[in-house]
Amino acid sequence: MANLEEDSDANLHQAAKTIRDRLGCDAVLITRGDRGMMLLEGDHAPVFVETAAREVYDVTAQAIR
């Protein structure tokens, strides 16, 4: 939607501003994969939310037995 390819923090910030302006919304939350999320609200600086690694168990294979 923002037509930006590089996923640097600066480009994601610009993309969030573009999306916010085009949609006319108050806030935009962008996922950054294993780097977490970025929240942009109004004219405030973006807030970066980091991820926390967790061990995940696949319980579907256990249930088939």
Side-chain angles (χ1 to χ4, degrees):
M1 183 171 194
N3 205 22
L4 297 172
E5 292 184 23
E6 184 184 336
D7 67 347
S8 67
D9 290 344
N11 270 8
L12 288 178
H13 185 199
Q14 182 59 47
K17 287 197 280 187
T18 300
I19 292 168
R20 186 189 59 204
D21 293 343
R22 286 186 182 175
L23 296 178
C25 57
D26 295 326
V28 174
L29 180 68
I30 296 180
T31 59
R32 300 166 56 227
D34 62 351
R35 295 182 299 148
M37 300 177 289
M38 184 196 69
L39 174 65
L40 183 64
E41 289 186 284
D43 293 328
H44 301 287
V47 175
F48 293 93
V49 180
E50 301 299 322
T51 59
R54 294 186 182 194
E55 191 168 344
V56 178
Y57 298 96
D58 183 2
V59 295
T60 56
Q62 306 264 334
I64 295 174
R65 293 183 196 185

